[in-house]
């Protein structure tokens, strides 16, 4: 690590002020950022910890939606998002207990790792990313691997999930990291089905439109049995080829539909 | 295990709980990184990020001015110092010795793999050392890298070492005299099965990364190295005599608690020599603790063989000949025992459990721009077992016969048995272990379990194989002829204290094997005193006799035997003292349950009376024997030991994703006599876990430019608890070793040797049950590979 300063504000306003300083960086659970610092791949002047801000903590439900504070840890979502069981299960399947007890939803969505789980849930749910400046719809928010609509210094204060009628997340583990090699989140709403795929694409999380259309008409696994995503544009690496990942997208989608239906 | 063994409370055969686990599990172990010497400085190694290149400029002047920097060392500082030695010289099939390149402590002129150390910055703090390393001005002209072994041997391939004639280390034939006869047997065979396979490169990844702390005492001129080693005396000899020129009496090497070795902590590494050298140069202790990333690119890797194996059978399915062609990766330099692994630890095992009369093994060892490769749990024997047990399964497929029956038909059944690959098995009973396996694995129930799996949409497969292993490599005279530059005996000093307690100073080194528990069991059995009166000391060259350390499942068979020999001397002397105290002849003295007595009389003296007399010799036969009770023995075995066994694995394959899950795993091992059945179970469990890791998960991968793609746990898949099932482990088949006093054979590597083929055999069997024409899949059997194999 390089030397850095550290501050732990107790309000969003103070955090925003601290983030205005040169080369300040937000610190969520540190599960991505701390290893990066240890490898000297980042050089922030000040880390602004978001863990002391009460208004960014916790889970509320009502009005057909679930609102999760941006600094809420995965373990708390796993335990407390009972109103959205598929989301709670997803949070409970991230990493290991140590990771879940530190890592936060805001950190995960800000980082937008192409193999992360939350982006699939946010995109499939049509969630709204709430920041200190604005509200961003999931469809606008995710802009390719490790890229989001966030501006410099912008802080995710909360995430609003509309509650679907049925939903499920299927995660096929990359054998080493146990991140998603392919993860598919299927969410069925009154006005249609949304399918978001993580882990698979070189463009990061994406919606599988063809499957959405088929499932909106007929929410059964059979409805997508003939469908597939093109291997082109999928990630190919030592853990699996492009065509294997494309194949897994179909399998995981089918399983998610079966589990949700 | 038999009931009477199970019920035993102490001594040989008791399932004594591991005493060392108390400190390991409560965080009170003393590992090398726990050692901090007053005033120590820290070293950070600047390592190559290129696989192959020429250093065109290296300027440390500005970096040396950075805060806290004590000195920056480069290859220049080591020009007057020897390079890292190789401990085994292989002679090739033309009678020439292998090509042996220099292995500098810090790169001189060229870098040859990603991770090759170029400069070492010593500073007051590690962060200061890192800061300064970033300020070093370094230019490297990148050279084309050789990664693929076959490409490395092509004419005109870039040379890893400019001063060698090629990238070929040696071309070894074994047994060269058999070659013609083997060729003829293949011509005459009724059936030949051929299989090409890869034994995947592995990274051992012990939980504790390597650490070295060098210290120097200006007052005495003595150097001390604390290091994460499986064999501190070997390090003292290699580093003292061949690298730094420090005689043993001025050099102490301490390997305290070591958090797993698996082979990769046998070898003498540059960082050890560096810290010892720098401590003297700076008159400051110097500490290095590997980061996990450094471990990936500087710990010797394991396996990495590419093999073609052919099995010839006659019309009755008897094996008539075996022929193999192997390319073995040495990496960029020869690690300490690297040349022995694909040769003497591999070729000699190719007979396996079978009476194949003719065998010829060819091995080409190749230099590439990768991390050096050396012994990893099993070392050569897993590679031998994997090929052999895979080709037998393939032969059974081709011939349409039952793979177990084909094995049984070809088993060696008479012992001693001289193989055509130079070794003689003393004992074994392969029929008995296979019978036992069929029972503990419940092979009869497989069909029903398969039907259940099929109902759940899963493909179930059964894989069975045998293994033979050679432990306690010896005798020293023989291994010397084979090229070892070391002896392979072991030593023990048994020191009995005045009040009867015992300290054993052993040359064996425990880094998870449980010596502190099992060694006392042996002495407890011999003398009849409680185990907790006996303590084991190991790991410090200052207070243990010269020993060769722990690897190759040798500790109990070789180190334990040395301890037995020393204890026999103790008992003989103690009987003399007892005889004196009882006024009888020592020939009549019996020792039982810690009491000396004279048969047919009521005379007896306790162990403690005798030991006290030895140190307070008031009533003592001083004219006949010296006071004191301390004996040393060195034991050099007359042969290897040959554990063997049969393993069965049942897998389920998800046909949609290719994901394999291990549903059952059974092991029937013959380790000869067993000292602690619980420790043996644990060793087998750990070995199978690593074997499953190799078979399903672990793969060290370089890209064609020599960048390590699996450079962290994000991409290198270690087995986790949920990747393995509960094992059925049985070691009730026991054919004791005939040539060591304990009749033990060694159990440390068996699991890792015996399990990979069982897993692969099972997966192939599962896929074939669904009509897939699959005969082999290379390890690791990742979901992607299994799925690809199913697509045809
Ligand atoms: C061993 C391991 C296994 C893992 N497995 C999985 C897995 O299976 N699935 C998965 O999805 N993830 C996994 N993760 C990642 C984990 O979920 C991380 O917690 C997550 O990626 C980052 O969250 P964090 O709170 O730790 O963020 P940090 O590491 O603190 O920060 C990450 C980035 O987000 C920024 N940031 C943090 N919070 C905010 C905010 N509120 N607003 C704006 N920017 C912010 C930081 O500045 C930084 O750039 C794993 C991590 C580890 C170490």
């Amino acid at each position: 690590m390089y030397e850095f300063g550290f501050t732990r504000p107790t309000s969003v306003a103070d955090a925003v002020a601290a983030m205005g300083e040169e080369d300040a960086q937000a610190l969520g659970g540190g599960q991505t950022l701390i290893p990066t610092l240890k490898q000297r791949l980042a050089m922030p002047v000040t880390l602004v910890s978001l863990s002391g801000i009460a208004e960014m903590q916790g889970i509320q439900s009502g009005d057909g939606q679930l609102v999760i504070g941006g600094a809420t840890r995965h373990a708390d979502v796993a335990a407390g998002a009972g109103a959205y069981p598929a989301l709670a299960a997803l949070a409970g399947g991230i990493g290991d207990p140590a990771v879940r007890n530190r890592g936060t939803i805001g950190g995960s969505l800000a980082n937008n790792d192409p193999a992360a789980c939350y982006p699939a849930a946010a995109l499939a749910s049509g969630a709204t990313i709430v920041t200190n400046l604005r509200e961003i719809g999931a469809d606008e928010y995710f802009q390719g691997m490790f890229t989001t609509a966030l501006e410099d210094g912008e802080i995710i204060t909360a995430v609003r999930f509309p509650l679907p009628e049925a939903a499920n997340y299927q995660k096929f583990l990359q054998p080493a990291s146990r991140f998603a090699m392919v993860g598919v989140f299927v969410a069925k709403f009154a006005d249609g089905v949304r399918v978001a795929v993580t882990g698979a694409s070189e463009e990061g999380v994406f919606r599988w439109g063809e499957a959405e259309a088929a499932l909106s008409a007929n929410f059964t696994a059979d409805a997508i049995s003939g469908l597939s995503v093109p291997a082109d544009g999928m990630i190919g690496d030592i853990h699996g080829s492009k065509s294997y990942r494309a194949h897994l997208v179909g399998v995981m989608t089918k399983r998610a539909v079966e589990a949700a239906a | 295990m038999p009931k009477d063994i199970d019920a035993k409370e102490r001594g040989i055969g008791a399932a004594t709980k591991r005493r060392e686990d108390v400190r390991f599990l409560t965080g009170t172990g003393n590992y090398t990184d726990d050692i901090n010497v007053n005033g120590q400085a820290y070293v950070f190694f600047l390592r190559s990020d290129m696989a192959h290149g020429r250093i065109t400029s290296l300027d440390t002047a500005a970096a040396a001015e950075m805060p806290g920097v004590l000195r920056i060392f480069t290859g220049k500082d080591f020009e007057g110092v020897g390079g890292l030695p190789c401990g085994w010289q292989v002679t090739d099939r033309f009678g020439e010795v292998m090509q042996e390149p220099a292995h500098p402590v810090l790169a001189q002129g060229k870098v040859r793999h990603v991770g090759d150390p170029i400069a070492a910055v010593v500073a007051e703090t590690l962060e200061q050392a890192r800061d300064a390393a970033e300020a070093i001005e370094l230019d490297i002209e990148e050279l084309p890298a050789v990664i693929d072994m076959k490409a490395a041997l092509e004419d005109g391939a870039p040379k890893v070492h400019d001063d060698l004639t090629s990238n070929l280390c040696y071309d070894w034939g074994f047994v060269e005299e058999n070659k013609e006869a083997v060729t003829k047997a293949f011509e005459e065979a009724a059936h030949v099965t051929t299989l090409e396979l890869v034994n995947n490169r592995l990274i051992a990844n012990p939980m504790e990364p390597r650490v070295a702390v060098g210290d120097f005492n200006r007052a005495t001129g003595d150097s001390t190295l604390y290091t994460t080693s499986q064999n501190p005396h070997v390090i003292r000899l290699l580093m003292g005599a061949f690298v730094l020129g420090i005689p043993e009496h001025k050099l102490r090497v301490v390997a305290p608690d070591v958090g797993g070795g698996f082979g990769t902590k046998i070898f003498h590494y540059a960082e050890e020599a560096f810290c010892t050298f720098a401590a003297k140069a700076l008159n400051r202790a110097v500490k290095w603790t590997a980061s996990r990333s450094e471990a990936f690119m500087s710990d010797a890797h394991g396996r990495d063989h590419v093999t073609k194996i052919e099995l010839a059978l006659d019309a009755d399915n008897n094996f008539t000949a075996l022929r193999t062609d192997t390319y073995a990766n040495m990496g960029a330099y020869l690690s300490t025992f690297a040349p022995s692994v694909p040769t003497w630890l591999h070729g000699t095992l190719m007979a396996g459990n079978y009476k194949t009369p003719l065998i010829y093994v060819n091995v080409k060892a190749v230099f590439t721009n990768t991390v050096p490769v050396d012994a990893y749990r099993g070392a050569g024997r897993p590679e031998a077992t994997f090929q052999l047990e895979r080709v037998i399964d393939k032969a059974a497929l081709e011939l349409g016969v039952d793979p177990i029956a084909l094995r049984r038909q070809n088993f060696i059944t008479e012992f001693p048995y001289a193989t055509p690959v130079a070794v003689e098995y003393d004992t074994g009973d392969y029929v008995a272990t296979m019978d036992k396996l069929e029972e503990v694995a419940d092979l009869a129930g497989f069909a029903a379990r398969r039907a259940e799996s099929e109902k759940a949409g899963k493909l179930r497969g059964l894989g069975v194989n045998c293994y033979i292993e050679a432990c306690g490599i010896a005798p020293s005279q023989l291994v010397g002829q084979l090229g070892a530059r070391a002896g392979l005996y072991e030593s023990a000093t048994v020191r009995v204290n005045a009040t009867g307690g015992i300290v054993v100073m052993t040359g064996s080194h425990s880094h998870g094997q449980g010596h502190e528990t099992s060694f006392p069991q042996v002495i407890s059995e011999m003398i009849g005193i409680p185990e907790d009166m006996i303590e084991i000391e190991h790991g410090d060259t200052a207070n243990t006799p010269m020993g060769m350390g722990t690897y190759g499942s040798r500790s109990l068979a070789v180190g334990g035997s040395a301890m037995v020999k020393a204890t026999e001397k103790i008992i003989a002397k103690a009987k003399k003292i007892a005889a004196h105290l009882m006024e009888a002849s020592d020939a009549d003295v019996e020792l039982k349950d810690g009491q000396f007595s004279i048969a047919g009389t009521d005379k007896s003296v306790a162990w403690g009376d005798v030991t006290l007399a030895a140190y307070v010799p008031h009533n003592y036969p001083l004219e006949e024997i010296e006071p004191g009770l301390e004996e040393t023995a060195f034991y050099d075995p007359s042969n290897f030991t040959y554990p063997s066994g049969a393993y069965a694995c049942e897998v389920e394959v998800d046909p949609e994703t290719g994901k394999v899950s291990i549903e059952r795993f059974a092991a029937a091992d013959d380790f000869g006599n067993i000292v602690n059945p619980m420790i043996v179970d644990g060793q087998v469990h750990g070995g199978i876990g690593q074997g499953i890791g190799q078979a399903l998960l672990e793969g060290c991968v370089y890209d064609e430019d020599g960048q390590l793609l699996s450079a962290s746990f994000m991409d290198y898949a270690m087995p986790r608890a949920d990747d393995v099932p509960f094992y059925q482990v049985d070691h009730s088949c026991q054919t004791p070793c005939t040539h060591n006093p304990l009749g033990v054979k060694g159990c440390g590597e068996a699991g890792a040797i015996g399990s990979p083929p069982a897993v692969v055999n099972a997966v192939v069997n599962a896929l074939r049950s669904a009509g897939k024409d699959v005969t082999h899949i290379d390890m690791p059997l990742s979901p992607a590979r299994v799925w690809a194999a199913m697509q045809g």
Side-chain angles (χ1 to χ4, degrees):
Chain A
M1 286 190 194
Y2 297 107
E3 265 188 26
F4 56 83
F6 181 79
T7 173
R8 192 163 178 261
T10 52
S11 70
V12 171
D14 287 352
V16 169
M19 290 288 290
E21 301 291 318
E22 201 186 331
D23 286 330
Q25 188 169 7
L27 176 69
Q31 295 304 292
T32 298
L33 186 50
I34 300 286
T36 312
L37 296 178
K38 281 185 169 176
Q39 290 179 286
R40 296 191 157 201
L41 296 173
M43 233 180 145
V45 171
T46 309
L47 287 187
V48 182
S49 168
L50 306 177
S51 64
I53 304 172
E55 59 196 291
M56 284 178 63
Q57 296 285 346
I59 304 165
Q60 270 129 38
S61 61
D63 289 341
Q65 60 180 17
L66 187 79
V67 184
I68 302 179
T72 308
R73 301 170 314 156
H74 308 331
D76 297 326
V77 176
Y84 196 167
L87 186 67
L90 173 146
I94 293 175
D96 51 43
V99 171
R100 294 195 289 275
N101 280 309
R102 305 278 334 164
T104 66
I105 188 169
S108 177
L109 292 174
N111 194 48
N112 192 20
D113 187 302
C117 301
Y118 270 128
L123 189 58
S125 306
T128 302
I129 317 298
V130 183
T131 77
N132 58 306
L133 298 177
R134 55 193 168 138
E135 301 198 346
I136 313 168
D139 287 311
E140 285 75 48
Y141 178 82
F142 298 104
Q143 302 191 347
M145 32 166 107
F146 299 111
T147 314
T148 68
L150 291 179
E151 306 280 346
D152 263 2
E154 195 170 358
I155 295 172
I156 299 176
T157 55
V159 188
R160 245 181 10 236
F161 291 91
L163 291 175
E165 293 169 0
N168 186 263
Y169 178 60
Q170 291 287 320
K171 177 182 181 186
F172 192 81
L173 303 181
Q174 194 259 52
S177 70
R178 295 200 172 183
F179 274 68
M181 178 132 134
V182 168
V184 177
F185 201 108
V186 172
K188 178 174 183 291
F189 293 91
D191 59 353
V193 174
R194 291 169 68 106
V195 177
V197 179
T198 188
S201 167
E202 288 176 340
E203 302 295 318
V205 67
F206 70 94
R207 283 174 66 184
W208 185 12
E210 230 186 332
E212 290 184 352
L215 289 168
S216 296
N218 172 12
F219 194 65
T220 66
D222 284 345
I224 51 164
S225 63
L227 303 183
S228 61
V229 295
D232 224 32
M234 294 286 121
I235 296 170
D237 61 12
I238 61 174
H239 306 291
S241 63
K242 292 168 186 278
S243 54
Y244 180 59
R245 280 193 172 75
H247 165 76
L248 283 181
V249 171
V251 176
M252 292 299 122
T253 306
K254 195 186 78 181
R255 288 182 182 180
V257 172
E258 279 165 355
Chain B
M1 68 192 74
K3 270 241 151 45
D4 55 329
I5 289 184
D6 205 7
K8 211 170 156 182
E9 277 174 18
R10 70 163 168 79
I12 292 178
T16 307
K17 280 191 186 155
R18 298 194 347 158
R19 61 172 78 166
E20 46 270 80
D21 286 350
V22 175
R23 70 174 191 278
F24 295 155
L25 296 177
T26 57
T28 50
N30 182 37
Y31 295 91
T32 309
D33 196 47
D34 294 322
I35 292 170
N36 293 298
V37 180
N38 211 6
Q40 78 195 2
Y42 296 83
V43 57
F44 179 80
F45 290 96
L46 175 66
R47 296 177 184 276
S48 176
D49 57 7
M50 263 175 223
H52 195 192
R54 199 173 307 285
I55 300 171
T56 49
S57 78
L58 176 57
D59 183 353
T60 59
E65 298 304 314
M66 301 268 293
V69 175
L70 296 169
R71 190 166 151 190
I72 300 177
F73 296 80
T74 66
K76 270 205 164 33
D77 296 290
F78 287 85
E79 274 169 359
V81 170
L84 302 178
C86 179
W88 201 297
Q89 184 179 55
V90 165
T91 301
D92 74 8
R93 63 198 194 86
F94 311 105
E96 301 288 325
V97 296
M98 67 188 189
Q99 297 209 77
E100 193 171 350
H103 187 174
V105 174
L106 295 176
Q108 300 194 350
K110 266 176 82 166
V111 290
R112 298 186 177 86
H113 67 84
V114 169
D116 210 359
I118 298 167
V121 184
V122 182
E124 299 288 347
T125 70
L126 181 60
E127 291 302 316
Q128 287 172 332
R130 283 185 80 169
D131 288 343
E134 288 179 5
I136 292 176
E137 290 173 30
L138 169 68
D139 277 314
I140 300 183
E141 173 202 341
E142 188 159 11
L143 299 170
V146 281
I147 304 303
D148 179 77
M149 287 190 275
K150 290 180 185 171
L153 294 184
E154 278 165 15
D155 285 344
K159 280 198 288 182
V160 178
H161 296 275
D162 302 340
D163 52 339
L164 302 188
T165 58
S166 70
N167 292 318
L168 182 68
C169 178
Y170 54 75
D171 178 354
W172 186 74
F174 185 66
V175 175
E176 197 60 26
E177 293 72 47
N178 288 352
K179 195 176 177 185
E180 299 259 303
V182 168
T183 308
K184 189 154 169 283
F186 270 91
E187 284 161 12
E188 292 166 359
H191 184 85
V192 173
T193 296
T194 304
L195 181 60
E196 294 189 39
L197 50 81
V198 173
N199 204 290
N200 41 329
R201 181 186 270 246
L202 303 176
I203 304 178
N205 285 317
M207 209 182 284
E208 176 205 33
R210 287 189 299 115
V211 182
V213 184
D215 193 14
F216 180 70
N217 183 332
R218 193 167 51 166
T220 60
D222 290 350
S223 293
T224 302
L225 170 69
Y226 302 91
T227 183
T228 47
S229 175
Q230 302 176 211
N231 31 234
H233 288 92
V234 175
I235 303 304
R236 186 182 63 165
L237 180 63
L238 292 178
M239 182 176 81
F242 298 98
V243 189
L244 300 179
I246 309 174
E248 285 101 318
H249 65 286
K250 303 304 278 179
L251 175 59
R252 174 181 169 204
V253 177
V254 185
D257 283 333
V258 172
F262 311 113
T264 203
K265 289 179 184 164
I266 298 172
F267 322 120
H268 176 40
Y269 286 96
E271 296 87 354
E272 295 172 320
F274 177 81
C275 289
T276 310
F277 177 87
K280 187 170 179 182
L282 297 167
N283 194 30
R284 288 278 297 268
V286 174
K287 182 172 196 169
W288 171 72
T289 302
S291 68
R292 186 57 71 179
S293 308
E294 272 184 298
F296 271 88
M297 57 180 162
S298 70
D299 291 4
H301 294 172
R303 315 277 194 261
D304 204 352
H305 286 192
V306 174
T307 293
K308 176 180 171 191
I309 180 167
E310 298 165 284
L311 176 66
L313 301 96
D314 69 15
D316 299 322
N317 297 343
N318 298 309
F319 303 163
T320 58
L322 187 74
R323 182 162 64 191
T324 73
D325 246 309
T326 287
Y327 292 81
N329 207 335
M330 295 285 104
Y333 304 99
L334 290 178
S335 173
T336 311
F337 291 113
S340 68
V341 175
T343 52
W344 299 106
L345 297 178
H346 163 252
T348 49
L349 268 290
M350 283 313 310
N353 311 57
Y354 312 101
K355 50 189 187 218
T356 316
L358 287 163
I359 297 177
Y360 180 73
V361 176
N362 179 246
V363 178
K364 295 182 184 71
V366 187
F367 294 111
T368 60
N369 292 112
T370 62
V371 170
V373 181
D374 204 330
Y376 167 68
R377 200 171 193 170
R381 292 151 288 169
E383 295 89 322
T385 305
F386 185 70
Q387 303 158 44
L388 182 60
E389 295 295 328
R390 284 292 303 124
V391 82
I392 293 172
D393 249 44
K394 189 170 182 223
L397 274 182
E398 290 173 356
L399 296 165
V401 298
D402 174 49
I404 296 177
L406 182 61
R407 286 179 169 85
R408 284 180 177 275
Q409 173 185 346
N410 285 283
F411 275 160
I412 295 161
T413 51
E414 279 166 29
F415 296 87
Y417 176 80
T419 70
V421 275
V423 293
E424 183 173 291
Y425 303 160
D426 58 344
T427 53
D429 187 343
Y430 308 146
V431 174
T433 44
M434 185 58 90
D435 289 347
K436 181 54 76 178
L437 179 76
E438 295 204 14
E439 176 196 322
V440 296
D442 181 30
L443 295 192
F446 172 71
R449 292 190 293 274
R450 173 175 269 178
E452 280 301 305
S453 298
E454 278 170 3
K455 269 192 228 154
K458 299 285 169 62
L459 311 177
R460 196 174 188 103
L462 169 66
V464 170
N465 65 269
C466 302
Y467 76 88
I468 173 92
E469 115 108 309
C471 302
I473 168 171
S476 293
Q477 284 174 345
L478 173 72
V479 298
Q481 286 165 22
L482 304 184
R485 290 162 169 163
L488 284 163
Y489 52 83
E490 198 45 83
S491 64
T493 295
V494 176
R495 176 178 296 162
V496 184
N497 294 314
T499 58
I502 294 177
V503 180
V504 181
M505 285 143 284
T506 168
S508 298
H509 186 279
S510 185
H511 32 277
Q513 292 87 348
H515 299 170
E516 290 169 39
T517 302
S518 56
F519 280 30
Q521 288 181 250
V522 172
I523 295 193
S524 166
E525 181 80 24
M526 293 175 76
I527 299 178
I529 55 174
E531 289 162 11
D532 63 10
M533 285 178 68
I534 304 149
E535 204 69 36
I536 303 300
E537 283 199 10
H538 61 88
D540 185 345
T541 61
N543 63 15
T544 53
M546 172 76 181
M548 295 309 294
T550 289
Y551 38 82
S553 306
R554 69 194 299 272
S555 289
L556 190 59
V558 190
S561 294
M563 182 181 68
V564 168
K565 295 281 182 197
T567 307
E568 283 169 353
K569 293 188 203 176
I570 293 281
I571 291 172
K573 184 170 177 184
K575 280 185 174 172
K576 286 201 175 109
I577 302 169
H580 178 87
L581 294 176
M582 293 186 285
E583 294 170 346
S585 154
D586 59 327
D588 298 330
V589 175
E590 285 174 5
L591 171 59
K592 193 167 182 281
D593 293 336
Q595 288 282 330
F596 297 90
S597 59
I598 309 293
T601 75
D602 60 357
K603 284 185 183 176
S604 82
V605 286
W607 169 253
D609 297 329
V610 170
T611 60
L612 191 65
Y615 290 95
V616 188
H618 296 165
N619 176 15
Y620 194 86
L622 282 170
E623 54 294 342
E624 274 175 61
I625 48 175
E626 296 169 6
L629 205 47
E630 172 165 328
E631 299 287 349
T632 294
F634 283 71
Y635 177 76
D636 203 293
S638 60
N639 191 356
F640 296 12
T641 66
Y642 298 97
S644 62
Y647 283 15
C649 175
E650 279 182 38
V651 297
E652 268 188 0
V653 180
D654 177 344
E656 288 185 320
T657 63
K659 172 122 179 74
V660 175
S661 76
I662 311 249
E663 297 296 309
R664 293 166 68 91
F665 202 105
D669 297 293
D670 174 0
F671 297 132
N673 293 335
I674 303 281
V675 169
N676 184 322
M678 185 166 63
I679 289 181
V680 169
D681 279 354
Q683 290 289 305
V684 175
H685 288 185
I688 296 173
Q690 282 184 311
I692 289 173
Q694 168 163 32
L696 289 189
L697 296 157
E698 299 182 48
C700 172
V701 185
Y702 282 93
D703 73 9
E704 55 195 25
D705 299 324
Q707 292 297 324
L708 184 56
L709 297 179
S710 52
S712 78
F713 291 133
M714 293 298 279
D715 288 299
Y716 187 91
M718 295 295 285
R720 290 155 158 99
D722 62 359
D723 289 314
V724 300
F726 284 94
Y727 308 117
Q728 287 92 44
V729 172
D730 183 284
H731 28 77
S732 63
C733 294
Q734 298 176 359
T735 60
C737 168
T738 54
H739 54 80
N740 66 43
L742 287 166
V744 297
K745 292 185 167 180
C747 66
E749 296 158 295
I753 293 168
S755 52
V759 176
V760 180
N761 289 349
V763 173
V764 170
N765 178 259
L767 300 193
R768 294 187 72 86
S769 76
K772 305 285 179 194
D773 183 24
V774 175
T775 54
H776 180 71
I777 308 174
D778 275 324
M779 302 185 290
L781 272 59
S782 63
R785 283 191 178 172
V786 174
W787 180 78
M790 283 192 291
Q791 309 314 302

